[in-house]
Amino acid sequence: MGRIRVLSDQVANQIAAGEVVDRPASVVKELLENALDAGATRIKVEIEAGGRRLIRITDDGCGMSRDDALLAFERHATSKIRSSDDLLSIATLGFRGEALPSIASIARLELMTRPGDEATGTRLEIAGGKILEVADAGGPHGTTIAVRDLFYNTPARRKFLRAETTELAHVTALVTHYALAHPEIHFELHSATHALLTAPPVTEAADRIYQIFGRDTLDQLLPMAAERRFDHSGIPEPPPWRRDADYRPPDPGFLRLSGFASRPALQKLNRNSIYIFVNQRLIRDRLILHAIVEAYRNIIPPTSFPVVLLFLEMPAHEVDVNVHPAKTEVRFRQQSLVHDFVRESIRTTLMKTRPAASFVDALTASPRASSSLIPEIGPEDGPVSDLPSSQPPPAQSDAAGFTLAPPEPRPEEIHLPFAVPPAVPAPVGLEIREPADSVSIPSAAASPHPCSAPAFPEDGEPPASLHSLASLKPLGQLRESFILATNDEGLWIIDQHVAHERVLFEKILRERQTERVERQRLLMPMLIDLLPQQMVLFASLAGELERNGCEAEPFGPHTIAIKAAPAGLSGAALERMILEVLEQPGAAAQSDNLETARTRIAASIACHAAIKVNMPLDPARMEWLLAALARTDHPTSCPHGRPIALRYSWKDIQRAFQRI
Ligand SMILES: Nc1ncnc2c1ncn2[C@@H]1O[C@H](COP(=O)(O)OP(=O)(O)OP(=O)(O)O)[C@@H](O)[C@H]1O
Ligand SMILES: [Mg+2]
């Protein structure tokens, strides 16, 4: 008895239907997913002419009997679900029984398959949906599907294909993604001339990132791991009168998050470097994207995006994957819980690790665009990539930031700088530890020569973390704008304005929560003339301004009178702050939610009340500022995303003086 069944019309009609195949990458996606669902441990993808001439995928999965192989090409024939109930908790990547018949109808297809427990396999040849040949075949267990001459019988669709390099870039991106989601599986991607990706199996996600993106990217990423229990199941329970006497509510299960988030210093101009996987399925999701952007709000500039690899695991019934014909979108049954969990987990990671920017990196760092690793599956999907799709393939694009051949040395030979922490009940991030330096440095006792290298801590350089801010001793100011300070880790330069801005910003937000923002009454109300649109905006923000210590009211049709101001703000700075808050173009203000308006006002007050550049500070004030900065949640960057403190590490200093 075969495994595959044709779904009843009633079930088939409940499946999100639409175009399955529109370019080579979508064929690769479907065949890869089938191989993964078949339990493969090795998957090889071969591409010729950007996939137009040939796409061949070989797996060592469960294979198919002859009956199953024939049935697999019927529409709605699947081994993965049986009934509409199964649609509520889909645990496989495929479930529609659509992919193989769709692919077979627009190409010449050859299938070789053999289940592990059968001596003979099957070879099938199909063209334009018609079976041309069925025969016995030998070969290893598993399945090989070769798709030739894509769209040979649908010239209109063939015309929409882009240049071979573009199509190959999409295929490469896609295979890369699946390789990231499945580190335990061996992936290979070959073009007619090159091995584009070779990723042997590894146990940790970090090792796979290293294989694909290389060491530099890995060093910029912070590992994340968190879990929480769902309070209840996302699927409604039967009403009490329908429950049996021995009814037990279903176990709601766990929501688990793992992955990597970039240090604030690594910024991208678009969101192409944000990868979201739900139950090992690559998806695009506005909700999760929003949670990620929120987590980085006021840590990186609003126009920049982080690099995030996010793996969410949850019971299959908590996520509906049957909402998009290409299966690239999902719907969470408990949306806000998932959103908040993602935001808090990332924020906690950033807060706990307090990653510091290196002085040397900051010199060369500027937000860069990344080419998308997410293929555009269809025009209706909306743009995910901010780059034109005619971009060069990632292999040639420096902006992509990943190498397609595994970097040397091979991962098994190197000691990776960190391990992914085991999941714990609360969001936890681990610091990246730099590996012990292999350069041996003579100890002070053994090398008394005055020119020899100073003693270096045995375990190498401490991680670049802002935890050590508290131990800083100020040396003085540079141009009355930057504080120079030292500790064991090296030399630090702190931007006095943005440091104070961060301190004030967090203070205002904290005090605002308890309605206790410090304010000062003005002896004389301060009058400010506004444009009509600013008056409208003022009307909507007056309450929030008041909660932030700024009491103001209309004074005639075009004027407002300020009666009290947040502590530290007066005169021209107060006026500039008000005008800045009311400067937002109307449309932006409309779409502003309260939370955004709140942080915008707090950031603006902090900016205008903060210590300025070109301001002399005595040692006591410098010490106070450094101590206050050390106590903030995010001493990494100011509310507008600029770095606050740069570290010129002890190691960099020694290197620059050629002592190591
Ligand atoms: N590489 C493979 N190894 C073993 N069985 C496979 C493989 N590819 C396909 N099959 C079998 O063929 C069936 C049909 O595959 P197809 O991709 O058309 O549908 P599906 O995976 O069930 O659903 P979807 O259309 O969502 O992908 C699968 O359910 C599976 O049983
Ligand atoms: Mg499938």
Side-chain angles (χ1 to χ4, degrees):
M1 185 72 182
R3 295 179 307 125
I4 303 180
R5 304 258 186 297
V6 176
L7 296 173
S8 68
D9 285 351
Q10 184 255 342
V11 181
N13 290 337
Q14 291 177 40
I15 288 176
E19 192 101 349
V20 172
V21 178
D22 64 349
R23 66 187 325 164
S26 42
V27 175
V28 175
K29 175 177 186 288
E30 294 298 341
L31 299 182
L32 266 185
E33 290 192 349
N34 281 347
L36 290 166
D37 282 343
T41 62
R42 283 183 79 90
I43 301 177
K44 180 168 159 196
V45 182
E46 293 159 282
I47 299 290
E48 283 176 23
R52 285 172 193 221
R53 195 183 311 138
L54 173 73
I55 297 169
R56 181 164 41 221
I57 301 203
T58 306
D59 70 54
D60 63 352
C62 64
M64 284 177 270
S65 66
R66 174 172 294 197
D67 286 351
D68 274 352
L70 287 166
L71 203 50
F73 290 92
E74 298 280 325
R75 288 204 66 207
H76 303 307
T78 180
S79 58
K80 301 172 191 175
I81 62 166
R82 293 266 186 274
S83 66
S84 342
D85 279 354
D86 295 340
L87 279 174
L88 291 177
S89 57
I90 296 168
T92 45
L93 294 167
F95 57 89
R96 309 157 306 179
E98 295 254 16
L100 289 184
S102 304
I103 298 168
S105 68
I106 41 95
R108 300 181 216 276
L109 191 145
E110 187 192 6
L111 167 85
M112 310 263 276
T113 187
R114 181 170 76 79
D117 55 0
E118 286 181 26
T120 344
T122 306
R123 182 175 165 280
L124 269 190
E125 235 180 83
I126 303 181
K130 295 207 171 55
I131 297 184
L132 305 181
E133 201 183 318
V134 186
D136 283 349
H141 80 94
T143 303
T144 299
I145 296 187
V147 179
R148 292 194 170 82
D149 303 331
L150 192 62
F151 299 136
Y152 81 98
N153 53 353
T154 52
R157 288 222 239 158
R158 198 168 53 221
K159 266 200 236 138
F160 280 99
L161 288 179
R162 308 279 179 112
E164 282 179 16
T165 46
T166 310
E167 297 300 342
L168 181 62
H170 282 285
V171 171
T172 310
L174 194 117
V175 179
T176 307
H177 266 126
Y178 279 89
L180 283 170
H182 299 272
E184 73 290 356
I185 293 177
H186 177 110
F187 278 90
E188 273 177 49
L189 170 64
H190 299 268
S191 73
T193 50
H194 287 84
L196 295 171
L197 176 83
T198 311
V202 284
T203 44
E204 302 288 344
D207 300 1
R208 184 50 59 91
I209 291 177
Y210 171 76
Q211 289 175 325
I212 292 174
F213 294 97
R215 175 64 190 265
D216 287 351
T217 302
L218 188 56
D219 279 351
Q220 292 288 344
L221 299 176
L222 305 168
M224 308 186 280
E227 73 172 23
R228 63 155 292 167
R229 254 188 105 75
F230 280 103
D231 303 328
H232 55 83
S233 166
I235 296 182
E237 290 181 47
W241 60 90
R242 289 256 193 87
R243 296 177 193 173
D244 301 332
D246 56 352
Y247 176 81
R248 295 264 170 286
D251 179 8
F254 280 88
L255 173 57
R256 294 195 171 87
L257 175 152
S258 62
F260 299 84
S262 55
R263 294 159 174 268
L266 179 66
Q267 293 170 19
K268 299 284 181 182
L269 283 175
N270 56 36
R271 38 197 160 145
N272 292 341
S273 302
I274 296 178
Y275 313 110
I276 305 165
F277 300 87
V278 174
N279 293 346
Q280 296 195 308
R281 180 193 300 277
L282 169 68
I283 58 148
R284 285 185 286 226
D285 188 75
R286 283 178 207 287
L287 181 89
I288 302 287
L289 198 61
H290 183 264
I292 294 171
V293 169
E294 281 284 289
Y296 277 87
R297 192 141 60 88
N298 298 120
I299 294 177
I300 63 173
T303 47
S304 297
F305 293 88
V307 175
V308 174
L309 281 141
L310 188 75
F311 301 101
L312 286 174
E313 296 290 329
M314 60 190 81
H317 62 254
E318 287 297 336
V319 52
D320 186 359
V321 294
N322 182 25
V323 293
H324 188 272
K327 301 179 285 188
T328 51
E329 287 173 22
V330 297
R331 191 177 300 125
F332 298 105
R333 297 204 203 273
Q334 306 195 46
Q335 294 200 1
S336 57
L337 183 140
V338 175
H339 174 275
D340 294 355
F341 177 71
V342 169
R343 185 192 56 204
E344 288 316 307
S345 305
I346 299 180
R347 244 191 135 84
T348 309
T349 301
L350 294 172
M351 219 160 99
K352 288 215 162 174
T353 346
R354 297 177 151 215
S358 137
F359 184 66
V360 181
D361 289 348
L363 282 180
T364 49
S366 57
R368 293 197 299 172
S370 289
S371 45
S372 174
L373 286 184
I374 300 189
E376 292 153 53
I377 303 284
E380 77 286 0
D381 295 328
V384 162
S385 162
D386 298 342
L387 290 180
S389 50
S390 58
Q391 62 192 278
Q396 294 152 26
S397 156
D398 143 75
F402 75 88
T403 47
L404 291 170
E408 295 298 329
R410 306 287 295 213
E412 42 280 19
E413 291 158 22
I414 71 144
H415 170 66
L416 283 169
F418 58 84
V420 182
V424 288
V428 162
L430 280 196
E431 283 170 28
I432 292 186
R433 308 192 116 258
E434 294 200 11
D437 206 319
S438 57
V439 183
S440 65
I441 295 161
S443 73
S447 55
H449 194 278
C451 278
S452 62
F456 194 69
E458 253 180 22
D459 56 349
E461 200 169 31
S465 152
L466 290 166
H467 285 299
S468 63
L469 275 182
S471 63
L472 281 182
K473 294 274 164 296
L475 299 176
Q477 270 176 302
L478 187 65
R479 299 209 169 191
E480 301 185 333
S481 301
F482 298 94
I483 299 173
L484 295 179
T486 55
N487 64 5
D488 276 358
E489 291 181 13
L491 176 68
W492 295 70
I493 305 183
I494 293 106
D495 183 326
Q496 64 192 39
H497 169 68
V498 294
H500 195 207
E501 203 178 348
R502 166 56 71 182
V503 171
L504 290 178
F505 174 69
E506 293 193 8
K507 178 168 178 273
I508 294 166
L509 287 184
R510 224 173 21 247
E511 292 177 349
R512 192 210 160 281
Q513 274 190 337
T514 49
E515 307 272 338
R516 282 180 33 230
V517 176
E518 245 181 279
R519 64 191 68 194
Q520 65 207 8
R521 298 242 135 242
L522 303 185
L523 287 176
M524 293 272 291
M526 179 177 187
L527 300 183
I528 302 180
D529 289 335
L530 297 180
L531 299 169
Q533 69 266 32
Q534 290 174 319
M535 284 301 282
V536 176
L537 206 49
F538 171 74
S540 66
L541 292 180
E544 190 51 39
L545 278 167
E546 203 273 317
R547 256 165 260 138
N548 282 282
C550 187
E551 287 170 32
E553 56 188 36
F555 188 80
H558 309 300
T559 311
I560 56 169
I562 304 184
K563 296 173 158 173
L569 257 192
S570 61
L574 175 60
E575 181 169 353
R576 276 201 299 274
M577 183 281 286
I578 292 285
L579 292 176
E580 186 178 282
V581 168
L582 300 180
E583 201 174 54
Q584 302 299 311
Q590 302 279 303
S591 63
D592 255 1
N593 59 30
L594 189 63
E595 179 70 21
T596 323
R598 190 174 295 164
T599 48
R600 197 156 56 77
I601 290 173
S604 186
I605 295 174
C607 177
H608 291 283
I611 295 168
K612 303 278 172 298
V613 292
N614 295 318
M615 188 183 270
L617 298 178
D618 57 30
R621 285 209 82 189
M622 286 192 262
E623 261 174 43
W624 168 84
L625 182 56
L626 294 179
L629 180 65
R631 284 194 301 273
T632 57
D633 287 342
H634 295 284
T636 332
S637 40
C638 81
H640 305 104
R642 274 180 290 158
I644 295 175
L646 300 180
R647 188 185 70 162
Y648 199 4
S649 80
W650 178 225
K651 202 165 165 189
D652 287 338
I653 294 173
Q654 291 191 103
R655 218 178 265 137
F657 283 108
Q658 300 183 4
R659 283 181 176 266
I660 55 171

